Amino acid sequence: MPRKDIILAIETSCDETATAVLSGGQELLSNIIASQIDVHKRFGGVVPEIASRHHLEQVNRLIDLAMLEARISFSDLSAIAVTYGPGLVGALLVGVSTAKALAYSLGLPLVGINHIEGHIFANWLVHEDIEFPLICLIVSGGHTALVLMKDYGKYELLGQTQDDAVGEAYDKVARAMGLGYPGGPVIDKLAHEGDPKAIHLPRAWLSKDSFDFSFSGLKTAVLNYLNNTAQKGEEINKENLAAAFQTSVVEVLIEKTIKAAHKSRIKTVLLAGGVAANSLLRTQLQERCDNEGLQLFYPPLKYCTDNAAMIASAGYYRFRQRDLAGWNLNAVPNLKLF
Ligand code: KG4
Ligand code: ZN
């Protein structure tokens, strides 16, 4: 039997230092994450300089841990994959320079990965049978986009946010409601106990056939609601507000995704990014896809938010296509995928 390709991956684009070892595309030998959320929480968001310092302190230890847990030696590796953008420049540089030094000293190929492609490839860690072409809804802290994917690495942008990313809207609304950072999981949890119809919030459909999104109007509507309620000296029902906000977001995301699939005559839908962890989005999109005869794939919760397993997965497919990076690989904070 031919030897399986084994990838060591490093992810340091934002506030998680992560490493993973993946064998043959689906056998995850280790997956280590050191989250900095507690460090940044008290500032209400990620502080770039602090993030870089923490990555620097953690990255070598996490590589050793990933290798130890995988029970392999460096000579067993086929390649090293690293996120080189988009993200915070100082944070990305820690991963990129570490990966370059390691790959060069071990004589291993280097694979540069776009973080968003990593989120998409989180799906391949657990699903072998994903067929192209497909429609991918990318919903993360920095991106919101509908993409037509015709093959590995082939992306066609159908629409994207004109202002805030959906995760960003969650985080800003949560901050205004005094719920802390990150906002997504807290709002998701609160929304379960609220009545989404108790407060009316707008839906940004934009023009009739548009696959673009906009979440800043919704965010402003929540801020206005908070101000008006405070001015009247009334109590805010946080559960109802969370439920109304979440329903407004999810409704638009789902309608546009289904419409994009039908318009392109595509039968497969993929969900990717941190907001793919959202419980309402997962259940309602699943329901709609079932009703519409579409097959939906989404990653398990643990692979939705930032991790290095997804970078290893994307790295595995890029390595198989021999799409390798040169020693001049650099951090690209605004790296584009489509
Ligand atoms: O994909 P990700 O790690 O960020 C980027 O790569 O940009 O996702 C982080 C985002 C945060 O904005 C967080 O609030 C959101 O994902 N998030 C959620 C949930 N879990 C995380 N949003 C809604 N519902 C959730 N359950
Ligand atoms: Zn991410």
Side-chain angles (χ1 to χ4, degrees):
M1 220 167 84
R3 181 181 171 273
K4 284 182 179 173
D5 290 325
I6 303 181
I7 311 289
L8 166 68
I10 304 170
E11 154 66 42
T12 64
S13 68
C14 192
D15 59 347
E16 325 273 5
T17 320
T19 54
V21 177
L22 181 69
S23 169
Q26 289 202 314
E27 193 188 345
L28 194 57
L29 303 180
S30 60
N31 185 32
I32 316 280
I33 303 180
S35 174
Q36 304 177 7
I37 283 184
D38 286 340
V39 181
H40 299 284
K41 231 174 194 158
R42 67 190 126 124
F43 302 104
V46 180
V47 183
E49 178 62 21
I50 296 178
S52 316
R53 282 166 193 263
H54 275 264
H55 287 310
L56 210 48
E57 282 167 19
Q58 297 292 334
V59 71
N60 287 324
R61 186 179 71 85
L62 263 61
I63 289 170
D64 288 344
L65 262 177
M67 295 300 292
L68 254 175
E69 206 169 282
R71 294 170 179 270
I72 59 165
S73 63
F74 283 114
S75 58
D76 297 319
L77 292 173
S78 313
I80 295 182
V82 64
T83 307
Y84 73 107
L88 304 167
V89 65
L92 287 164
L93 271 172
V94 176
V96 169
S97 33
T98 305
K100 273 162 78 169
L102 200 57
Y104 188 77
S105 63
L106 294 169
L108 285 171
L110 182 70
V111 186
I113 295 297
N114 181 309
H115 180 80
I116 302 303
E117 183 166 71
H119 276 299
I120 296 171
F121 273 81
N123 283 285
W124 272 268
L125 285 167
V126 289
H127 307 295
E128 261 176 304
D129 49 340
I130 303 174
E131 282 181 15
F132 297 107
L134 56 86
I135 294 287
C136 184
L137 173 65
I138 300 158
V139 276
S140 78
H143 293 80
T144 303
L146 267 170
V147 170
L148 169 61
M149 203 175 161
K150 290 186 174 157
D151 203 345
Y152 293 113
K154 302 254 180 303
Y155 308 96
E156 197 178 298
L157 181 68
L158 301 179
Q160 63 184 332
T161 185
Q162 303 293 302
D163 38 60
D164 289 348
V166 60
E168 188 182 356
Y170 264 95
D171 293 338
K172 287 178 177 170
V173 162
R175 189 198 292 207
M177 290 171 72
L179 300 174
Y181 170 85
V186 200
I187 291 187
D188 192 2
K189 197 158 169 248
L190 270 182
H192 281 284
E193 285 133 47
D195 172 9
K197 295 207 175 84
I199 301 164
H200 179 75
L201 292 175
R203 275 105 176 108
W205 299 109
L206 305 178
S207 68
K208 193 170 148 275
D209 294 321
S210 170
F211 293 123
D212 284 337
F213 300 94
S214 165
F215 295 103
S216 71
L218 173 61
K219 176 195 68 192
T220 307
V222 174
L223 299 185
N224 288 342
Y225 177 83
L226 287 169
N227 285 337
N228 292 341
T229 317
Q231 269 175 5
K232 285 189 240 162
E234 292 170 4
E235 255 320 278
I236 286 153
N237 184 317
K238 290 190 174 176
E239 290 78 9
N240 286 349
L241 188 55
F245 169 75
Q246 177 147 295
T247 307
S248 172
V249 167
V250 167
E251 211 176 287
V252 175
L253 291 175
I254 292 181
E255 284 312 317
K256 292 199 181 229
T257 305
I258 301 288
K259 209 165 174 181
H262 286 328
K263 192 173 176 200
S264 317
R265 298 175 193 281
I266 282 174
K267 292 280 170 209
T268 307
V269 176
L270 212 68
L271 190 54
V275 186
N278 187 266
S279 60
L280 190 72
L281 181 58
R282 291 165 89 93
T283 52
Q284 294 206 339
L285 187 56
Q286 183 70 70
E287 244 171 62
R288 277 299 297 279
C289 285
D290 290 347
N291 290 341
E292 308 272 343
L294 305 171
Q295 191 175 16
L296 173 67
F297 294 96
Y298 48 75
L301 282 178
K302 60 181 170 184
Y303 303 138
C304 284
T305 40
D306 291 351
N307 62 82
M310 67 186 199
I311 303 302
S313 177
Y316 175 78
Y317 287 97
R318 290 250 168 227
F319 177 64
R320 282 211 320 190
Q321 294 167 337
R322 292 299 181 266
D323 186 356
L324 306 178
W327 298 120
N328 59 350
L329 183 73
N330 206 349
V332 184
N334 59 354
L335 183 66
K336 300 275 180 265
L337 186 59
F338 25 74

